[in-house]
Structures are given as C-alpha cells and as structure tokens.
C-alpha cells in the first residue's frame, strides 16, 4: 500500500539511512516542490477557449489558418493561453473527397513566431464554475483583467459569422497576412512541410518561377478569373516577369485538367507539377499537406506569380517581397466587392514583431483604423 501511495515522480526509497538515503529524500523533496510549482502555475494560468463545432464547416487550409489567427490574436490581446481549437478541413473541394480528422493545423504550420502560450484541447481540463461564457466583440481594454480562469467563446457554425473586436481582426490580419493584410504574416511551415518543399526545390535544380493558379470553385465567383487563369494567359504572364535565363516554372493549381505544360512549353519554359517533384506518399490522402508544401515552394521561388492582387507570401518572410499577380482583384472580391487596385505588382510590408511590444502598446496602434473597416487590406501603422 505504501508503494502505491508513492507519487510516480518520487524516487524509490533507498535502504538504510546513509548518504544515499539522504540524497534520495532530498531529491524527493525537490520533486514535490517542482510539481507543486507546476500545479500552482497551471491554477493561475488563464485560458481562452473557442468552442469551434467539430465535424462541420469544412474549408481550405488557408481559410482555417485565418480563423486560427483570430483565436491567437484575441488570446494575445487578452493575456491568455490559447486552447487550440480543432478545425474541419474541406474534403469535397480541396481533398478529392477524403475527409480527414479535425485538426489544430500544427501538422501543416508552425506557430513558433507567434508569442502566445498554446495548449492542446486534450492537455487541459477545468470545472464548469471556472468558466465564463462570453459572446460577441470583446474589447481587450475591458476584458484583459477578467479574473475568470477560462473565458469560453461560443462559436456558431460558419466561423466568420462570429463577431470579434476590430483590434482583434486587425491583429489577426497581421498574423495571417494573405488576403487580410499586406504582409507575409507570422506562420511558418511545419518541419515536415519545410523538408518536402526543400527537397522539391533541390529536384528543380536551380532558379525557377513559382506560380499559384487558383481556379476550381472560384471560376464561377469572380468576373475575369477564367480568362486570367487559362493556360495561355498564365504562360504569357510568366514570360512577362521571367528573369533572363530562368526557364523552369512550378505551377501549383487546384485545376489538374488545365494544360499549363503545353502552354508554357510553347513559350520556351519547362513546367513542373507535384507529380514531378513530391513523393506521392507525402500527400497520398492529404491534399492540404501538398498545398502547404507547394505554398512554401512558390514562396521560395526566384519570382512569384500569384492569382490575386492581395495574395502575399504564404509563410513568414523577414524581408518585404515583390509579388506579381494574374488578376487585379482581391481574393475576396466576390464577397466584399473590393475594386481592382490598378497596379501591376505590390511591395509587401515586413511582418509584425510582437516580441518588441506589449498588448497594451499594440492595442493603441490597432485602435487607429487603417482603413474604412476592419476588413481593409491596409497595414496597421505603429506596430513594430
């Protein structure tokens, strides 16, 4: 019975009462102190939980990453650890009909550059009396001092129908970048994704042009997208931005039926796709994983050519990059009616460095509207 009562982290009792026994006893006391300190820290930690419904509202990886950026931005501004929600990734439009288990996205992306304490759903538990449920926009100035151990955010199906404070939306845009703010954001590729992209780049064997062509479901949503993304138009666009001597082109697209190979060959370019460069086992049943690796491959190209005028580098990039696009419209044009910008390329801003500021300081910058609405594709002035 005594052996069963001994904590698992405590050392077994040494026989006798000599130095070995004394050392063992001291080690045991240190173990008790460490565990007690850890338990105390866990009790004092405050959490933010978004109760995202499971098994529904499946969308693409980029959309779900943007949702995660909202959760992380709100947690940082409120001074809370973020309990990572699990999202449903779409099967029909993005994964060839294969439904994957809900995921917190960390097999695709790294959150190492985002200074928010992260907790997996299965790593933490609490009593119901410790939970405060709060819906609607939460002003960080009012809610940062909330004493509740757990702040729970009810989440209706259709994540973007859940309202958040404008400062949270602006900061989420700075974390995510593409389609939200003119920056690469702070997400990095997961280790396996980075390795796969690096191996694909090695197989290309030199400088190349990276192209992301979004077709599929978007073709019926946006005027002019069919014409801008048909193979001949893409080949002409590639030729217009290709540096001298660079003839290799990687095309990442969700339309495997479009013949980019022939169109590019007619202009003297050699076209590569995923079947040429990636191990089939890498993405056999997970097209989202392939997308994550392809975005890294496009980001690392000598020249990048993306579909929309607000398509920024998909992963963290320390230096602002020049990016070209196929159609002078926002990827959200069909939702918000954003007009064409009338520019040929865009210089993006350096990503925000949250380690050089505090939530209170950042909130002052985030509270100054950079545009007519929290959805404006404009940088937040005043963030480091």
């Amino acid at each position: 019975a005594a052996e069963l009562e001994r904590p698992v982290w405590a050392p077994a009792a040494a026989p006798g009462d000599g130095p070995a026994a004394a050392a063992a006893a001291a080690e045991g006391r240190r173990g008790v102190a460490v565990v007690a300190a850890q338990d105390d820290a866990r009790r004092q930690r405050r959490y933010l939980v978004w109760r995202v419904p499971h098994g529904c509202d499946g969308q693409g990886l980029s959309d779900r990453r943007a949702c995660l950026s909202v959760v992380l931005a709100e947690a940082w501004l409120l001074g809370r650890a973020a309990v990572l929600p699990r999202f449903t990734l779409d099967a029909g439009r993005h994964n060839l009909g294969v439904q994957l288990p809900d995921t917190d996205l960390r097999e695709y992306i790294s959150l190492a550059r985002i200074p928010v304490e992260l907790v997996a759903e299965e790593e933490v538990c609490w009593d119901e009396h410790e939970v405060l449920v709060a819906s609607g926009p939460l002003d960080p100035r009012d809610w940062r001092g909330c004493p509740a151990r757990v702040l729970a955010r009810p989440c209706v199906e259709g994540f973007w129908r859940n309202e958040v404070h404008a400062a949270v939306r602006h900061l989420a845009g700075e974390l995510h970048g593409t389609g939200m703010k003119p920056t690469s954001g702070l997400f990095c590729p997961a280790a396996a994704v980075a390795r796969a992209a690096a191996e694909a780049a090695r197989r290309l064997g030199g400088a190349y042009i990276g192209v992301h062509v979004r077709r599929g479901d978007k073709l019926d949503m946006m005027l002019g997208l069919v014409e801008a993304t048909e193979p001949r138009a893409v080949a002409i666009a590639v030729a217009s931005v290709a540096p001298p001597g660079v003839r290799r082109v990687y095309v990442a697209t969700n339309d495997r039926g479009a013949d980019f190979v022939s169109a590019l060959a007619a202009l003297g370019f050699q076209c590569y796709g995923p079947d040429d460069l990636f191990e089939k086992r890498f993405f056999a049943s997970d097209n989202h994983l392939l997308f994550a690796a392809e975005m890294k491959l496009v980001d690392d190209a000598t020249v990048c050519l993306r579909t929309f005028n607000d398509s920024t580098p998909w992963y963290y990039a320390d230096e602002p990059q020049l990016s070209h696009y196929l159609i002078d419209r926002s990827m959200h044009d069909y939702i918000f009616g954003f007009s064409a910008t009338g520019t040929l390329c865009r210089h993006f801003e350096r990503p925000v460095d949250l380690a050089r500021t505090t939530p209170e300081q950042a909130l002052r910058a985030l509270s100054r509207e950079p545009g007519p609405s929290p959805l404006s594709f404009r940088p937040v002035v005043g963030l480091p």
Side-chain angles (χ1 to χ4, degrees), residues 2-356:
E3 180 65 21
L4 291 174
E5 292 170 1
R6 180 173 59 83
V8 295
W9 37 259
D17 55 359
E27 184 65 27
R29 288 192 294 274
R30 279 194 294 272
V32 171
V34 168
V35 171
Q38 292 172 341
D39 287 344
D40 186 58
R42 277 192 289 268
R43 284 192 295 270
Q44 293 181 16
R45 185 179 296 140
R46 295 182 306 157
Y47 300 95
L48 175 70
V49 183
W50 273 75
R51 292 174 169 171
V52 176
H54 290 185
C56 61
D57 189 29
Q59 301 292 334
L61 182 60
S62 191
D63 180 274
R64 299 297 85 174
R65 194 184 80 169
C67 297
L68 178 59
S69 72
V70 171
V71 175
L72 298 175
E74 189 168 64
W76 189 77
L77 288 172
L78 294 177
R80 290 177 173 268
V83 178
L84 292 174
R86 291 187 173 275
F87 295 102
T88 303
L89 293 173
D90 173 72
R93 288 173 295 137
H94 298 95
N95 202 39
L96 307 176
V98 178
Q99 186 63 64
L100 300 170
D102 287 357
T103 170
D104 65 13
L105 307 185
R106 285 186 290 180
E107 64 264 50
Y108 308 102
I109 56 176
S110 166
L111 283 59
R113 289 189 172 274
I114 301 176
V116 175
E117 186 177 2
L118 308 174
V119 183
E121 285 184 339
E122 62 273 13
E123 292 175 354
V124 64
C125 61
W126 42 73
D127 296 327
E128 280 303 311
H129 73 271
E130 298 178 292
V131 179
L132 175 63
V133 179
S135 59
L138 303 184
D139 190 329
R141 288 165 292 200
D142 299 330
W143 285 85
R144 185 171 172 81
C146 175
R149 184 183 179 214
V150 180
L151 188 59
R153 305 284 270 136
C155 184
V156 301
E157 185 176 348
F159 186 92
W160 298 108
R161 299 211 307 267
N162 297 277
E163 293 185 90
V164 296
H165 192 268
V168 172
R169 182 64 70 95
H170 283 308
L171 183 57
E174 295 288 340
L175 300 185
H176 178 68
T178 186
M180 295 179 75
K181 295 291 181 186
T183 175
S184 68
L186 295 181
F187 291 99
C188 296
V193 169
R195 286 194 300 269
E199 176 60 20
R202 186 192 65 78
R203 290 175 177 173
L204 273 168
Y208 64 96
I209 299 166
V211 186
H212 179 212
V213 185
R214 178 67 190 274
R215 286 173 62 84
D217 57 317
K218 283 282 197 292
L219 294 177
D220 295 329
M221 301 178 182
M222 189 177 298
L223 185 66
L225 187 60
V226 172
E227 295 80 4
T229 59
E230 61 92 15
R232 173 68 177 168
V234 172
I236 292 173
V238 167
S240 71
V241 301
V246 178
R247 313 308 289 175
R248 300 180 183 89
V249 181
Y250 184 85
V251 176
T253 182
N254 61 340
D255 187 348
R256 296 293 186 90
D259 187 5
F260 295 104
V261 174
S262 298
L264 283 162
L267 297 184
F269 294 94
Q270 186 173 0
C271 179
Y272 297 84
D275 294 334
D276 303 310
L277 302 179
F278 290 96
E279 297 281 350
K280 184 65 176 177
R281 58 182 174 82
F282 176 73
F283 61 93
S285 62
D286 190 349
N287 199 56
H288 303 284
L289 194 61
L290 173 62
F291 172 81
E294 286 188 309
M295 292 304 96
K296 178 61 175 169
L297 191 60
V298 171
D299 280 0
D300 292 345
T302 306
V303 174
C304 301
L305 182 59
R306 300 181 174 91
T307 304
F308 306 106
N309 63 23
D310 54 356
S311 298
T312 68
W314 211 73
Y315 293 111
Y316 171 85
D318 185 50
E319 295 296 330
Q321 295 183 2
L322 179 67
S323 185
H324 304 270
Y325 49 77
L326 297 171
I327 184 170
D328 192 19
R329 291 193 178 280
S330 162
M331 65 180 70
H332 299 125
D333 207 20
Y334 65 98
I335 301 175
F336 303 117
F338 294 160
S339 62
T341 62
T343 57
L344 296 177
C345 57
R346 184 186 294 277
H347 288 273
F348 298 115
E349 304 291 330
R350 295 174 69 96
V352 66
D353 186 355
L354 294 182
R356 294 173 49 208

